Amino acid sequence: MATGKDIALRLMLVADLVNEAEALVSRLRNAGTAVRPLRPESLDEMVGMLAQQPVDMVLADYAAALLPFEQVAKAVIGCGRDVPLLATLDGISDDILENVQALGAQAVALRDRPQQFLKTVQTEWQALEARRTQRRLEAQMRETQRRCDMLIDSSREPIAYIHEGMHIRANQAYLEMFGFESFEDIEGMSLLDLVAPGDVTAFKALLKSLSKGEEAPPRYELTAHDADGNEFPAVMEFTAAQYQGEACQQVIFRHQAAEVDPELAREVEELRQRDQSTGLLNRPTFLRVLEDAVADAAQQRAQYGLLLLEPDNYQRILQEIGLDSADDLLAAIADCIRQVVGEQLADGSAHAARFSEHSFAVLARGDHARTAALAERIIAAFAARVFEVGGSSSSITASIGGVQIGEKIASVTQVLAKASQCLQSSLGAGGNHAEVFDPSATDRAEEERIQAWVERLHDALANDRFLLHYQPIIHLLGEPRAMYESYLRLESGTGETITPMNFLPIAEEHGLLGQIDRWVIGHAISVLGARARAGKPVTLLVKITQASLQDPSLPAYIAEQLAAHGVPGDALLLQVPESKVFINLRATQDFAAAIGSLGCKLVLEQFGAGLDSFQLLSHFTPGFVKIDRSFMEDLSKNPNNQNRVRELAQKARDLGIQSIAEFVQDAASMSILFSQGIDYVEGNFLAIAGPDMNYEFDA
């Protein structure tokens, strides 16, 4: 079962025993955290690792003898990098806590309290990522400000920035318009000094309203005068802005004579903001509105709800009505949204947009209850409406994912990510459904989501709603042996499939991994039997979990299935991650012996990713090792990864174990892997996984 690959935590572990360090790594991996571990055995090695390798966090045993915690703390602080240090203990006292903090540790992680341990590690990792993000944003902001300054200076528009009525910035076009040679001539000058006497009183009132935070008019006409006192009719446009971190107003000053047709200009601007097929806002315009709402939520504690909507089974509907009617379909969907949200669109408390090819977005003021109610009204409106499109009548349902924007989730990236996640969850639940995330009710929503998944997994097991996809594994020396790896998928009910990373953690938490493994193994053996009877025998690699290693009755089940389908044992390869073997070594040895008597072999997955991968091979001999996919990243340009792959392949070859490299990305990597003695390769570069076994191995 493939679980996908998350961003890995680059973790340094300081512990006297490798088993203790491996147990902490396994605990994190079991909780769904991908880990790239390091374990220094001396202070010099630790200092070298901190200086030469990217490290996200250091977990150090407070009671370690080989590397005392005080020395570790000094090394971490002395490396000059933002690397959080966590002390691992079995118990804690006030004196220990005080000493740990005095030495510079960020937190204490208790080994005998798994939930506290996991929460502490995740919290410190998230805090680190937040600091890194802030530094990146600050650098981007500085670069953006530099570019903005360049754009302002090069603009032909006369632009100035005004704070409390005074000039704090102006470009060359602005200076030329009023007859000034340099900004020093105008710096600190009141904007009123450029207004003709007859308009000063009215303009003072405008500046006063702006200082109170009132909205500026989109266009303000007055008479201005230049440095020589020459008057001319002008038009001003105001936009709230920031300059060097200070709130101000951006002013564009134009001669009225330069305005050819103001009404036409407004119409063009309106068209520029709209999607031509639906009449709703286009994506860029909507994103600007969303940015304003997120800022308002963060600064003023205002509440907004964002809804993302997609019609269910869009591709099927499009095939029925024809591609030439696609725009008519989108317009009909937009009209349905307008009918529900019409009043709020009219009073400005809501905005609707076409967000992508066939997805739509609605942003509305209100709390979670109002947002959820709006989503349900839209769902009901779709279900009740008959859509007349392309000369045919159709009923169309929709799925909605939403998020409540507030202080707890007040960044555009977070908001869109969470809304998109909820939309995918609604689609995965079968469509005609709305799911709205409420940060203030996370726990309740999470419990409901998990319970829905548990019920769905029970249904999938009972009604055969799982399926397998297959990816070919190719021998680098051209051996025509047909071999595939199987990947578990779950039917979504909409024609799409769901990957295991969405449900395996929940399955593990609720004790369903063993049942899912049995379904996979049984289905795989059935497929092997069907292929053999058709004269197209294959070898199939099947992922299993640690639940299978701990199930003493599973080998008998495998023997029964092999006999029932007439499949030889050597056609079935059972793959288990290295990290699971390390903490279940005795069970793995027993399991390998039991299936070995049937002719089946074990494949050791993620080989090389652990703290001491070679140590495992001294305790049992798998049929294959699969090199951890992290070593394939930029393999042709990364000599460190090349050396590691060569070392792993050589060790396997010396022990008579065949090697597999997965996640192969390009032809250059293929050449390197061949020269390093890798036996088999696999990856999307060669062929993507799919429901059929149709690769030509002898081509």
Side-chain angles (χ1 to χ4, degrees):
M1 292 174 285
T3 59
K5 182 175 184 293
D6 299 323
I7 297 174
L9 171 63
R10 293 165 296 194
L11 181 66
M12 178 180 288
L13 298 112
V14 180
D16 288 343
L17 300 176
V18 66
N19 287 355
E20 294 176 356
E22 191 68 52
L24 298 181
V25 172
S26 297
R27 180 179 293 178
L28 290 166
R29 285 175 172 162
N30 290 343
T33 300
V35 179
R36 290 286 298 273
L38 298 168
R39 181 177 172 266
E41 296 185 353
S42 69
L43 185 60
D44 289 341
E45 186 180 5
M46 177 183 177
V47 172
M49 287 179 175
L50 288 171
Q52 299 171 13
Q53 300 193 41
V55 177
D56 295 321
M57 185 181 298
V58 176
L59 272 179
D61 186 350
Y62 183 73
L66 295 177
L67 279 175
F69 187 80
E70 183 174 355
Q71 294 182 16
V72 172
K74 288 180 179 178
V76 173
I77 294 172
C79 76
R81 295 161 58 188
D82 186 0
V83 179
L85 170 63
L86 277 65
T88 58
L89 303 101
D90 291 321
I92 192 169
S93 66
D94 291 343
D95 290 340
I96 292 177
L97 179 60
E98 185 175 326
N99 188 47
V100 165
Q101 292 175 336
L103 291 173
Q106 273 71 27
V108 169
L110 300 177
R111 283 187 292 261
D112 58 348
R113 297 180 62 184
Q115 292 305 315
Q116 188 274 343
F117 175 87
L118 294 171
K119 182 68 174 177
T120 300
V121 171
Q122 288 291 343
T123 298
E124 292 302 324
W125 191 18
Q126 290 168 4
L128 173 65
E129 289 301 314
R131 293 194 297 273
R132 288 173 172 171
T133 300
Q134 182 176 351
R135 289 193 287 268
R136 287 194 296 268
L137 290 175
E138 288 172 348
Q140 291 170 4
M141 182 174 292
R142 288 192 294 271
E143 177 64 16
T144 300
Q145 288 177 341
R146 186 184 69 81
R147 291 179 179 273
C148 285
D149 282 343
M150 292 174 60
L151 288 171
I152 291 168
D153 288 337
S154 62
S155 175
R156 295 182 179 181
E157 294 272 29
I159 301 172
Y161 287 84
I162 309 298
H163 178 64
E164 295 182 352
M166 304 295 180
H167 289 85
I168 59 174
R169 177 82 166 84
N171 68 353
Q172 190 59 37
Y174 190 92
L175 297 174
E176 291 174 357
M177 181 180 190
F178 288 99
F180 296 103
E181 292 185 4
S182 68
F183 179 66
E184 284 74 14
D185 298 332
I186 198 173
E187 185 175 12
M189 177 186 291
S190 172
L191 190 57
L192 283 169
D193 293 341
L194 302 179
V195 177
D199 289 334
V200 166
T201 302
F203 194 68
K204 277 185 178 179
L206 173 62
L207 291 178
K208 188 175 182 180
S209 69
L210 293 178
S211 68
K212 295 178 180 179
E214 296 179 13
E215 189 172 346
R219 172 186 172 90
Y220 187 84
E221 298 181 3
L222 79 170
T223 301
H225 66 77
D226 59 21
D228 297 326
N230 300 314
E231 296 186 355
F232 57 90
V235 175
M236 299 178 68
E237 294 178 3
F238 294 88
T239 306
Q242 281 196 345
Y243 185 72
Q244 294 184 346
E246 192 169 29
C248 61
Q249 288 284 336
Q250 176 187 279
V251 177
I252 299 178
F253 230 124
R254 297 190 183 96
H255 280 282
Q256 271 200 40
E259 297 240 322
V260 179
D261 187 341
E263 185 60 33
L264 178 61
R266 281 194 292 270
E267 291 178 4
V268 170
E269 179 63 19
E270 175 70 14
L271 288 172
R272 190 178 65 83
Q273 297 177 356
R274 297 283 171 179
D275 172 66
Q276 299 306 301
S277 297
T278 63
L280 302 177
L281 296 179
N282 57 30
R283 181 187 177 98
T285 303
F286 183 80
L287 284 175
R288 288 195 295 272
V289 174
L290 179 60
E291 287 173 358
D292 291 341
V294 168
D296 192 23
Q299 298 170 12
Q300 308 295 332
R301 300 186 180 182
Q303 293 194 67
Y304 297 84
L306 171 66
L307 302 177
L308 296 182
L309 177 149
E310 281 190 15
D312 297 326
N313 304 309
Y314 176 76
Q315 294 299 330
R316 178 183 59 77
I317 296 170
L318 207 56
Q319 291 176 359
E320 293 176 356
I321 65 174
L323 287 173
D324 56 332
S325 299
D327 283 349
D328 293 338
L329 173 61
L330 295 173
I333 292 172
D335 183 62
C336 186
I337 294 173
R338 264 191 296 265
Q339 286 187 6
V340 179
V341 197
E343 291 184 7
Q344 290 172 271
L345 295 176
D347 64 21
S349 62
H351 303 272
R354 180 182 176 186
F355 199 66
S356 65
E357 179 191 358
H358 62 276
S359 70
F360 297 80
V362 175
L363 177 71
R365 281 185 174 272
D367 58 17
H368 178 262
R370 292 186 64 182
T371 302
L374 176 60
E376 292 298 335
R377 290 204 306 274
I378 295 174
I379 291 290
F382 269 79
R385 178 167 176 161
V386 176
F387 290 81
E388 303 284 346
V389 180
S392 62
S393 301
S394 301
S395 60
I396 300 175
T397 59
S399 292
I400 292 178
V403 60
Q404 191 63 30
I405 306 171
E407 282 187 294
K408 290 185 178 180
I409 181 168
S411 81
V412 172
T413 302
Q414 283 183 304
V415 165
L416 289 174
K418 184 57 70 173
S420 178
Q421 180 182 336
C422 289
L423 175 58
Q424 293 305 313
S425 180
S426 292
L427 290 167
N432 194 27
H433 178 71
E435 182 174 319
V436 180
F437 174 72
D438 180 7
S440 64
T442 306
D443 294 339
R444 175 178 51 79
E446 183 68 6
E447 288 176 5
E448 293 174 355
R449 184 186 73 84
I450 290 174
Q451 185 57 39
W453 269 112
V454 171
E455 293 174 1
R456 186 171 186 181
L457 292 175
H458 279 295
D459 175 69
L461 288 166
N463 297 296
D464 211 30
R465 301 193 193 281
F466 289 114
L467 52 89
L468 294 180
H469 281 189
Y470 309 94
Q471 185 170 44
I473 302 174
I474 300 159
H475 199 284
L476 277 176
L477 295 179
E479 178 185 318
R481 178 185 186 184
M483 182 186 295
Y484 289 89
E485 178 166 0
S486 62
Y487 290 89
L488 180 67
R489 298 292 185 264
L490 175 63
E491 294 179 357
S492 67
T494 62
E496 303 293 329
T497 59
I498 302 170
T499 58
M501 63 184 299
N502 291 295
F503 58 81
L504 277 193
I506 297 172
E508 181 175 13
E509 184 180 347
H510 290 81
L512 296 175
L513 286 183
Q515 296 178 53
I516 294 176
D517 279 358
R518 287 206 176 208
W519 186 96
V520 173
I521 292 170
H523 194 78
I525 293 174
S526 173
V527 169
L528 287 170
R531 293 279 301 188
R533 289 190 294 274
K536 299 178 180 180
V538 297
T539 300
L540 202 54
L541 191 155
V542 176
K543 292 176 181 283
I544 60 174
T545 67
Q546 67 181 34
S548 291
L549 298 178
Q550 299 166 353
D551 182 0
S553 66
L554 183 59
Y557 171 77
I558 295 173
E560 175 188 319
Q561 293 297 310
L562 291 173
H565 294 278
V567 175
D570 61 1
L572 181 66
L573 304 176
L574 298 175
Q575 178 173 279
V576 62
E578 176 186 296
S579 59
K580 306 302 182 186
V581 171
F582 205 105
I583 59 174
N584 295 278
L585 187 54
R586 176 61 65 185
T588 303
Q589 291 171 328
D590 294 342
F591 184 78
I595 65 169
S597 66
L598 304 174
C600 303
K601 294 181 179 179
L602 273 185
V603 178
L604 190 60
E605 186 184 17
Q606 299 172 2
F607 186 60
L611 293 168
D612 196 349
S613 300
F614 295 148
Q615 180 183 349
L616 283 180
L617 301 184
S618 66
H619 294 286
F620 87 108
T621 303
F624 296 79
V625 292
K626 181 183 280 189
I627 309 297
D628 187 69
R629 65 171 56 184
S630 63
F631 298 116
M632 298 300 113
E633 295 177 6
D634 294 324
L635 180 64
S636 60
K637 302 176 183 178
N638 192 322
N640 291 331
N641 282 359
Q642 292 176 24
N643 292 335
R644 183 59 170 164
V645 169
R646 183 182 300 109
E647 180 187 15
L648 295 171
Q650 182 63 50
K651 181 65 174 179
R653 189 162 51 250
D654 291 345
L655 295 173
I657 302 170
Q658 292 186 292
S659 56
I660 303 172
E662 66 172 342
F663 208 60
V664 177
Q665 299 175 333
D666 49 47
S669 297
M670 291 276 288
S671 177
I672 291 170
L673 293 169
F674 176 81
S675 67
Q676 291 170 339
I678 295 293
D679 297 298
Y680 291 88
V681 291
E682 174 186 7
N684 289 347
F685 169 72
L686 299 161
I688 63 173
D692 302 313
M693 298 185 194
N694 51 18
Y695 188 81
E696 297 294 336
F697 286 90
D698 55 356

